[in-house]
Amino acid sequence: MSDLNNTLAERGDRYGSFADHAAIAQNLQLVMRGTDDAPTKWAYLAPDMAQALTTIADKIARILNGDPTYLDNWHDIQGYARLVEKRLEDEA
């Protein structure tokens, strides 16, 4: 098995099927971005806020689709939130 196939198999074991993960992540992001029926303030977010939330949604999807006890996902969620928090503190 090639290095790439090994990596894909390892990730599949950890995070579940990519197609299922993608469906969860995209649905979370659709909700975050809002609809005509349920608007959000997505358009007013700074780029770092929008990117942090997008990445956090991806980490949440990994948790919901794969191994919920994998600490790295939980740690990463904190990290992306902290990056935005720190920028806001620095600007205050």
Side-chain angles (χ1 to χ4, degrees):
M1 192 180 278
S2 74
D3 287 343
L4 177 58
N5 287 338
N6 286 335
T7 298
L8 293 174
E10 179 183 300
R11 296 299 190 278
D13 289 344
R14 170 77 65 198
Y15 302 121
S17 112
F18 181 69
D20 292 343
H21 162 260
I24 294 168
Q26 291 300 304
N27 282 323
L28 287 170
Q29 291 176 56
L30 285 171
V31 170
M32 292 188 319
R33 286 175 173 79
T35 64
D36 290 340
D37 294 331
T40 69
K41 301 217 176 189
W42 184 267
Y44 300 101
L45 296 177
D48 63 332
M49 293 173 170
Q51 185 59 37
L53 289 174
T54 298
T55 307
I56 289 168
D58 196 62
K59 296 295 180 175
I60 291 169
R62 283 182 164 189
I63 290 166
L64 294 174
N65 191 58
D67 179 1
T69 66
Y70 186 51
L71 292 176
D72 192 58
N73 288 326
W74 297 99
H75 181 75
D76 286 350
I77 288 169
Q78 293 178 75
Y80 288 111
R82 178 63 183 133
L83 290 170
V84 174
E85 179 184 38
K86 181 163 179 5
R87 189 209 19 108
L88 294 171
E89 289 172 348
D90 291 346
E91 291 178 359

